[in-house]
Amino acid sequence: MNQVQKLLIIGFVWPEPNSSAAGGRMMQLISLFKAQGFSVTFASPAQNSDFMVDLGVYEVDKKSIELNNSSFDIFVKELNPAVVLFDRFMMEEQFGWRVVENCPDALRILDTEDLHCLRLARQKAFKENRSFSTTDLFVEEVAKREIASILRCDLSLMISEFEMELLESTFKIDKALLYYLPFLLEPIISSEIEELPSFENRKDFIFIGNFLHEPNWNAVQYLKETIWPLIKKQVPEAVLNVYGAYPSQKVIQLNNGKDSFLIMGRASNAQDVVTEARVVLAPLRFGAGIKGKLLEAMQCGTPSVTTTIGSESMHGDLPWNGFITDDVADFVDAAVQLYLDKTIWVKAQKNGIEIVNQRYSKGLFETDFSTKIEFLRSNFEQHRLSNFMGAMLQHHTLKSTKYMSRWIEEKNK
């Protein structure tokens, strides 16, 4: 009888699909591997949170692990996973060398989520009031760590074609180490479209996003100070509901009933509030990856107005689910048009549904991903031989990180 293959996921945090797109993404990956017949263990050094998903419901084993503690070595050796998935490069840095030592034949996969170095370099350029250039990445401290982590792994899952291209052209990463795997959604069928609330049955503008994420906080400030007063001038009855997990005191202080700028905090069901809204506003000025909030808007049949950064890598050659502009006056006009003009709104909604079905349908990726994993597992020795830079980094990391970690462990005793 075939032994069940084991997947170990090492999570930066416990998944919170209702708090962030990253949590939803993680649940999609779990479902993908379970469909391939893997038994899944999710381990994390993070504290439990009130909003984390109950992994037991999904038949996933939950395991708390410690940083800089050799108890992990015993755990991983006993589990003996066929595949280890690192949730973001920080987890590969912490635990990758231990996996290499104790389970050398396990396939090591990195889920990048978004390129952290790209997001941070863009943020820095924005704060310094200058244009971002790819050369900024070479001085970004995080880039050195993140690229090293990508090279040490057998495969890195990329959510954005733009970032994949960037890694190949700017950092000269071998294509064989990268795999495009965006958000994986169920296609939207016509009966579901018919059930969506109509233009007339929706009201208000909405912004939604986790406030632990700096681009979201910046976008809300931008809305409050610049964009919303101009929309309100043209549509006096308009209301903007700002939803998001983990709002800080400075976010809550932006609430202003007189201006109909309402800070709503965490949505108990994000899809419900987005489906009830008429237009999503997402004036993101820096960031990376693909935006869960904008994909969710498409799934809910809610048109959106966003920026070039907001829409990056999301729609290919297909027309957007609304409007894309970096100009304030154009952004305001686009928002007002979508809010008041049913014809434009309906066309935008159709565009969004088209994008979901043509670019994010789970069925487009499942088989190919399964084939890729099988191929790498059967040919991992050859695959690693071709990745000399990765082997070299692994060699030095194993030495330096290992002794640093051992030193911390001794100190902690």
Side-chain angles (χ1 to χ4, degrees):
M1 202 172 113
N2 281 351
Q3 211 181 351
V4 174
Q5 305 181 89
K6 294 176 189 166
L7 166 71
L8 169 64
I9 300 173
I10 303 178
F12 181 61
V13 291
W14 301 107
E16 291 187 21
N18 293 329
S19 302
S20 71
R25 157 78 164 179
M26 182 49 75
M27 297 314 291
Q28 290 164 11
L29 291 176
I30 288 172
S31 146
L32 200 57
F33 276 101
K34 283 191 78 68
Q36 287 183 32
F38 281 86
S39 74
V40 182
T41 300
F42 193 104
S44 177
Q47 298 288 319
N48 285 350
S49 84
D50 294 340
F51 301 100
M52 68 191 207
V53 77
D54 180 356
L55 290 166
V57 170
Y58 299 88
E59 297 178 338
V60 172
D61 291 331
K62 177 177 181 285
K63 169 79 178 166
S64 287
I65 51 178
E66 283 183 57
L67 297 171
N68 303 307
N69 194 314
S70 46
S71 59
F72 177 83
D73 303 353
I74 300 159
F75 156 70
V76 80
K77 208 169 195 160
E78 278 178 10
L79 184 69
N80 192 25
V83 180
V84 177
L85 177 75
F86 301 103
D87 167 27
R88 291 166 259 209
F89 77 91
M90 300 82 92
M91 292 296 96
E92 189 280 333
E93 278 184 334
Q94 287 285 348
F95 296 99
W97 66 272
R98 292 184 185 273
V99 171
V100 170
E101 275 207 333
N102 294 287
C103 306
D105 294 349
L107 196 65
R108 299 186 301 276
I109 302 177
L110 174 65
D111 185 35
T112 56
E113 290 291 349
D114 61 8
L115 273 186
H116 292 59
C117 61
L118 177 64
R119 173 159 40 88
L120 294 169
R122 279 175 168 169
Q123 185 172 330
K124 198 172 284 179
F126 172 78
K127 296 269 159 89
E128 291 168 6
N129 202 17
R130 59 180 174 79
S131 294
F132 163 78
S133 150
T134 50
T135 54
D136 292 342
L137 294 167
F138 295 129
V139 293
E140 183 56 58
E141 193 62 33
V142 166
K144 299 175 182 72
R145 294 169 54 198
E146 193 165 20
I147 300 303
S149 184
I150 287 169
L151 285 166
R152 284 192 297 263
C153 287
D154 297 311
L155 196 67
S156 287
L157 306 181
M158 304 303 301
I159 208 161
S160 149
E161 293 149 316
F162 173 81
E163 292 175 11
M164 206 159 156
E165 168 58 34
L166 185 80
L167 288 176
E168 288 170 27
S169 58
T170 305
F171 292 106
K172 308 294 182 245
I173 304 268
D174 183 350
K175 244 190 185 72
L177 298 176
L178 306 173
Y179 187 84
Y180 174 62
L181 192 70
F183 289 121
L184 307 165
L185 308 175
E186 295 296 340
I188 303 169
I189 53 175
S190 47
S191 59
E192 292 170 326
I193 300 166
E194 284 157 23
E195 283 170 19
L196 290 169
S198 64
F199 174 83
E200 293 81 5
N201 289 333
R202 295 172 180 248
K203 61 182 180 56
D204 303 342
F205 290 92
I206 188 171
F207 173 89
I208 191 159
N210 185 322
F211 285 108
L212 297 178
H213 197 55
E214 185 66 25
N216 289 335
W217 160 236
N218 180 271
V220 168
Q221 285 175 293
Y222 190 28
L223 279 167
K224 171 79 175 176
E225 292 158 16
T226 308
I227 295 169
W228 185 245
L230 297 171
I231 293 177
K232 193 76 178 144
K233 198 177 270 181
Q234 290 195 46
V235 192
E237 72 278 12
V239 174
L240 173 59
N241 297 309
V242 176
Y243 284 93
Y246 302 106
S248 62
Q249 200 47 46
K250 60 185 182 179
V251 176
I252 292 161
Q253 280 170 350
L254 296 181
N255 184 70
N256 187 323
K258 189 164 69 70
D259 295 337
S260 312
F261 190 95
L262 308 177
I263 304 293
M264 311 296 286
R266 178 188 287 274
S268 54
N269 186 316
Q271 287 219 325
D272 285 354
V273 297
V274 176
T275 305
E276 286 160 12
R278 193 177 283 178
V279 180
V280 167
L281 301 178
L284 298 158
R285 293 188 281 188
F286 52 86
I290 55 177
K291 314 300 175 291
K293 61 172 76 54
L294 292 171
L295 208 46
E296 184 169 61
M298 295 174 199
Q299 287 179 285
C300 298
T302 313
S304 63
V305 189
T306 190
T307 55
T308 313
I309 290 263
S311 66
E312 182 176 87
S313 265
M314 287 197 65
H315 60 117
D317 300 328
L318 299 170
W320 186 251
N321 171 46
F323 295 94
I324 301 164
T325 176
D326 297 321
D327 177 82
V328 172
D330 290 346
F331 194 101
V332 170
D333 285 347
V336 171
Q337 274 188 64
L338 275 175
Y339 197 77
L340 299 177
D341 190 322
K342 182 180 177 175
T343 310
I344 294 173
W345 187 90
V346 169
K347 189 171 185 304
Q349 182 186 66
K350 281 187 180 140
N351 291 347
I353 290 160
E354 201 66 12
I355 293 169
V356 170
N357 288 348
Q358 287 198 33
R359 286 184 58 86
Y360 299 97
S361 277
K362 204 162 67 170
L364 298 172
F365 301 96
E366 278 174 320
T367 310
D368 189 71
F369 182 64
S370 178
T371 308
K372 181 76 175 175
I373 298 302
E374 264 322 298
F375 175 79
L376 287 178
R377 289 202 54 220
S378 311
N379 299 280
F380 75 92
E381 285 170 357
Q382 187 53 50
H383 180 73
R384 285 176 186 171
L385 272 176
S386 312
N387 179 17
F388 178 76
M389 292 295 280
M392 181 178 71
L393 282 165
Q394 195 65 262
H395 171 80
H396 290 291
T397 305
L398 200 64
K399 300 282 182 280
S400 58
T401 318
K402 175 179 178 175
Y403 293 113
M404 180 63 158
S405 186
R406 293 269 188 258
W407 179 76
I408 293 170
E409 189 174 2
E410 281 306 310
K411 200 164 135 297
N412 289 343
K413 283 179 184 172

